[in-house]
Amino acid sequence: GAKGSGKAQWALFHDVMDIDYRQRQRLKSDLREALDKNELFLVYQPIVDIRDHRIIGCEALARWNHPELGRIPPSVFVPIAEEIGAISDLTRFVLTTAARECALWPSPLKVAVNLSATDFRTTDVAEMVRQSLVKTGLPANRLEVEITESTLIEEKQAVSKALTLLREQGVGVALDDFGTGYSSLSYLHALPFTKLKIDRSFVADITTSDRSLKLLSNIAKLSKDLDLTVTVEGIETEAQLAAISRAGDIDQVQGFLFGVPLPRREIAELVERVAYAPGDAFKMRAGKA
Ligand code: C2E
Ligand code: MG
Ligand code: MG
Ligand code: MG
């Protein structure tokens, strides 16, 4: 956790709106510098098959430990990167670093990378992805990009075009945080998604609310009808896992129950160890992100 009064104070900010003007100005100039000096890094969270709990891949998540202010969460620094025109630098760094790392893991483990709406507005996303694959030698089918519903709605034309080009390359495309925005499943049908990630807000009360479980189960069923791989995010407890398993039609789970996001060295050890060990032996329990 955050230590020292300065860091403890910053650890309380989860949203860019919580920050006042002066703090924001400081983060803007410091983030530019941090990107130039390679102070950002990635952590990787396992995504596991719901049936045998094998790791199928990991999601890469960006981290920034500010030398004085401590951990700044991506919910704060990603919008700032967008604002200062540095998002494509951040995304290029994340894509290349994640692809290089994944190329070291046992095949066919995959890596997933988050894209932002601004990426589609400012960059040729398909070309940027292609370059990261060429540079690292990672096969396209081991990379997946994740976009949120709001990205889809804000940049419909650019997203639609880029996703088609990414699919032609063989890159997977996931709709992230499903259920937090306003898109419908029929709307998604028009776009070449390969995966739907159901947001963790659906999981929170799944063990106490029959309606929540039914809702999740129906989203999963409709997604399967559209030939999408279904991942449920935010599984924290055995009880939630049991409820999800009963719901059916879910392929993969991700959450603190199976593993928190880990630095590259630790995830490399983990994937080496578990790639050859089926069953529950490698299930991890909640620790520190
Ligand atoms: P996301 O893509 O939905 O990533 C999952 C988030 O949920 C991560 O938060 C992860 O640490 C958290 N999480 C995973 N399992 C659990 C769980 O069981 N319980 C709870 N309570 N949380 C869980 P994180 O790393 O803070 O990232 C937040 C969001 O920031 C991400 O949501 C993603 O939208 C964005 N983000 C992170 N890295 C990047 C990046 O490199 N580029 C862009 N554009 N956005 C990023
Ligand atoms: Mg994601
Ligand atoms: Mg998500
Ligand atoms: Mg999320």
Side-chain angles (χ1 to χ4, degrees):
K3 290 180 186 70
S5 57
K7 291 188 182 183
Q9 182 196 344
W10 278 85
L12 296 175
F13 296 119
H14 293 297
D15 193 281
V16 73
M17 303 311 287
D18 298 333
I19 295 174
D20 72 26
Y21 180 79
R22 196 176 44 82
Q23 292 166 325
R24 202 180 169 89
Q25 291 308 111
R26 168 150 196 208
L27 287 187
K28 282 189 196 174
S29 58
D30 289 359
L31 180 58
R32 183 72 269 174
E33 207 183 308
L35 279 163
D36 293 340
K37 293 199 302 195
N38 280 320
E39 276 175 20
L40 274 72
F41 61 99
L42 301 184
V43 289
Y44 301 88
Q45 184 177 34
I47 302 170
V48 309
D49 187 300
I50 196 168
R51 282 163 287 268
D52 59 11
H53 299 174
R54 269 176 183 271
I55 296 181
I56 61 96
C58 298
E59 178 173 1
L61 297 157
R63 293 291 180 263
W64 181 20
N65 286 340
H66 189 288
E68 284 154 41
L69 303 171
R71 291 181 195 184
I72 315 292
S75 54
V76 170
F77 69 76
V78 169
I80 288 178
E82 291 173 334
E83 198 182 329
I84 66 173
I87 192 70
S88 61
D89 294 332
L90 173 64
T91 303
R92 191 175 297 105
F93 163 76
V94 175
L95 274 167
T96 307
T97 307
R100 187 178 293 126
E101 211 51 42
C102 181
L104 301 171
W105 303 339
S107 185
L109 290 183
K110 296 185 180 199
V111 76
V113 167
N114 294 283
L115 302 178
S116 91
T118 311
D119 285 316
F120 292 92
R121 196 150 49 232
T122 61
T123 314
D124 182 343
V125 169
E127 178 56 20
M128 179 161 65
V129 167
R130 195 190 64 80
Q131 284 170 10
S132 73
L133 293 173
V134 168
K135 200 167 169 182
T136 61
L138 185 73
N141 63 3
R142 294 180 61 192
L143 179 69
E144 195 169 68
V145 297
E146 299 189 359
I147 66 160
T148 62
E149 285 176 278
S150 52
T151 299
L152 195 62
I153 286 154
E154 285 169 40
E155 298 298 328
K156 188 157 196 311
Q157 288 306 108
V159 166
S160 166
K161 207 174 135 211
L163 293 193
T164 304
L165 292 170
L166 288 167
R167 284 303 302 137
E168 281 169 10
Q169 290 179 51
V171 173
V173 292
L175 184 67
D176 199 3
D177 299 351
F178 182 77
T180 58
Y182 300 97
S183 59
S184 68
L185 283 166
S186 60
Y187 182 67
L188 301 181
H189 190 40
L191 292 159
F193 285 105
T194 52
K195 177 185 275 196
L196 188 85
K197 297 186 79 171
I198 301 177
D199 191 68
R200 65 183 161 90
S201 55
F202 285 87
V203 173
D205 63 349
I206 201 173
T207 55
T208 51
S209 160
D210 233 32
R211 286 169 58 86
S212 294
L213 185 58
K214 274 204 185 109
L215 182 60
L216 187 137
S217 157
N218 278 306
I219 295 170
K221 187 177 173 345
L222 283 166
S223 310
K224 278 279 85 164
D225 290 345
L226 296 175
D227 277 331
L228 297 166
T229 299
V230 181
T231 304
V232 176
E233 306 188 270
I235 303 295
E236 296 181 350
T237 68
E238 292 286 356
Q240 287 169 343
L241 178 63
I244 297 281
S245 303
R246 274 197 307 279
D249 296 308
I250 290 157
D251 304 297
Q252 302 167 353
V253 283
Q254 181 179 352
F256 295 164
L257 178 67
F258 290 97
V260 298
L262 292 171
R264 54 179 291 263
R265 252 182 255 282
E266 283 155 64
I267 208 76
E269 268 175 37
L270 180 73
V271 295
E272 277 301 330
R273 190 150 43 83
V274 306
Y276 309 104
D280 285 2
F282 54 89
K283 255 208 241 175
M284 291 158 56
R285 288 300 178 263
K288 287 238 55 215

